[in-house]
Amino acid sequence: MSDNANGGDLTAGLRRLIRAHGPIPVAQYMAEANANYYAHRDPLGTAGDFITAPEISQMFGEMIGGWIADLTIRAEARDFAYVELGPGRGTLARDALRVIRAAGLSPTVHLVEASPVLREKQAELVPDAQFHEDVAALPTDRPVIVVANEFFDALPMRQLVRTGRGWRERMVGLDGDAFVTLAGDRPMDAAVPPRHDDAEEGTLIETNPAAAAILGDLANTIAEAGGAMLTIDYGHLAPRTGSTLQAVRAHEKVDVLDAPGSADITAHVDFPALIETAERAGCVLHGTASQGAFLMALGMGQRAQALAEANPHARDSLMAALERLTAPDAMGDLFKVMAFGAPGWPEGAGVRRVTPA
């Protein structure tokens, strides 16, 4: 079945569902669209819909590997599990593990991936990996080091809007055959944090129960078994309002409500909410940073120079990759980094407890 056919089937199915039962929450729309999207394609690369940092340069995964090797050696935890959430093609894991193993470490490897298409790609690059459908099956008999790069942004996110009748969930309905958004009927005031009590009519906030549940489970495991987690995603380090929902197809932004299942739908990650969840589970925040500051602090600039000296013909492409990953007007400021760990563990490099402005 072609991708267009899959998207068409989902569009027709959602229309039938809405006509039969009424509008559905934005979170449900996003969940069904992304489940369909990832089940039937490899979305990465120039021939796909978007390119993630590990696909831009090997240096990205190498910096992550160095971060893990440094942390686990200082923690005297040489027997640990490398865990990656939503590992794409496995490129980050391959590059990170190369550095980790060069440091004399031999972690077990655990990849959390639901897409059968991407699992095949990951198995080629990381043949010793153990695969898991969700985080519930991860090991608890040793420290775990969890890496989540562009994972939380694709989880189904709930939108709540302040109306003249109070807070309501934002829904997806139909206007003829076209999908449209509208406020639902059920009161949602109890789900809104107190800081929004005085919000004006029309204010929209986003919450992500799925992200909180997954991160909570991981933080509980880390707090009990030892370890740390490194999250890299595009999002905000301070609370904010307004819709951040977007869809990307063929490297261009498209209408979120156009042809569900044919584009990658994401939303900005609410890092303050993730931090609150991790600390509630008993973990300790190491800090946050912009992606650019984090990678440069780990030595990506020096690594790019060393690679360029070893292969002068690749200098231009290496420096272009460095710029794309770290420059403030590229991915450097758009993407944020958060690290936390078990009580008593050393802090990971490259992050600060003071939230950047």
Side-chain angles (χ1 to χ4, degrees):
M1 184 180 292
S2 71
D3 290 341
N4 287 337
N6 287 318
D9 285 350
L10 180 62
T11 297
L14 289 175
R15 284 177 180 149
R16 287 194 299 269
L17 176 66
I18 293 170
R19 287 184 176 123
H21 301 286
I24 61 174
V26 165
Q28 180 180 348
Y29 175 89
M30 183 177 178
E32 298 205 24
N34 277 350
N36 181 282
Y37 175 80
Y38 282 100
H40 298 105
R41 75 199 73 211
D42 172 5
L44 299 167
T46 55
D49 292 320
F50 57 89
I51 298 177
T52 59
E55 304 294 331
I56 293 172
S57 171
Q58 71 183 61
M59 296 184 291
F60 183 83
E62 291 172 345
M63 295 302 106
I64 304 304
W67 187 90
I68 293 171
D70 169 70
L71 179 64
T72 52
I73 289 172
R74 285 190 288 119
E76 299 181 353
R78 305 182 74 86
D79 181 20
F80 66 94
Y82 172 95
V83 175
E84 190 173 339
L85 310 182
R89 291 174 173 168
T91 306
L92 191 161
R94 177 198 63 190
D95 294 336
L97 288 165
R98 183 172 63 249
V99 174
I100 292 168
R101 287 164 177 160
L105 304 169
S106 300
T108 57
V109 181
H110 304 265
L111 304 182
V112 180
E113 179 60 69
S115 167
V117 175
L118 290 175
R119 276 195 181 196
E120 289 185 10
K121 302 279 187 180
Q122 294 155 12
E124 293 174 4
L125 292 187
V126 194
D128 58 336
Q130 301 176 49
F131 289 97
H132 305 276
E133 288 284 341
D134 55 50
V135 300
L138 292 174
T140 57
D141 61 343
R142 68 195 65 195
V144 293
I145 306 296
V146 183
V147 178
N149 180 62
E150 292 197 52
F151 173 77
F152 288 106
D153 64 342
L155 296 181
M157 169 271 307
R158 168 184 282 179
Q159 290 188 329
L160 305 174
V161 60
R162 184 70 179 263
T163 72
R165 300 174 296 152
W167 290 94
R168 298 291 186 269
E169 185 158 13
R170 201 178 193 202
M171 314 289 281
V172 175
L174 286 172
D175 181 4
D177 280 341
F179 294 107
V180 295
T181 56
L182 67 158
D185 294 328
R186 188 171 62 174
M188 297 296 295
D189 300 74
V192 177
R195 66 176 178 271
H196 297 295
D197 285 348
D198 298 326
E200 297 179 357
E201 186 173 338
T203 300
L204 185 147
I205 64 171
E206 296 175 336
T207 65
N208 199 320
I214 292 171
L215 190 85
D217 286 345
L218 290 168
N220 282 326
T221 297
I222 290 170
E224 294 175 7
M229 180 167 181
L230 185 68
T231 298
I232 306 172
D233 226 314
Y234 76 97
H236 45 275
L237 294 175
R240 56 162 292 171
T241 61
S243 176
T244 67
L245 205 62
Q246 69 174 34
V248 173
R249 184 190 304 128
H251 304 275
E252 299 287 343
K253 289 187 178 181
V254 296
D255 188 338
V256 170
L257 299 179
D258 175 46
S262 67
D264 178 45
I265 301 179
T266 60
H268 281 211
V269 173
D270 183 351
F271 281 94
L274 296 184
I275 291 169
E276 182 179 339
T277 299
E279 292 181 331
R280 191 183 306 120
C283 287
V284 178
L285 177 68
H286 293 176
T288 58
S290 67
Q291 176 176 290
F294 175 73
L295 294 175
M296 293 302 285
L298 296 185
M300 182 175 279
Q302 294 91 324
R303 177 58 173 161
Q305 187 62 37
L307 288 171
E309 290 175 359
N311 187 3
H313 296 293
R315 173 175 289 276
D316 288 349
S317 62
L318 285 164
M319 294 306 158
L322 177 67
E323 179 83 3
R324 185 171 181 183
L325 290 169
T326 65
D329 59 351
M331 297 174 71
D333 277 357
L334 177 63
F335 283 76
K336 309 299 192 300
V337 180
M338 174 193 72
F340 66 80
W345 267 60
E347 294 188 355
V351 292
R352 299 185 302 138
R353 291 195 187 188
V354 178
T355 301

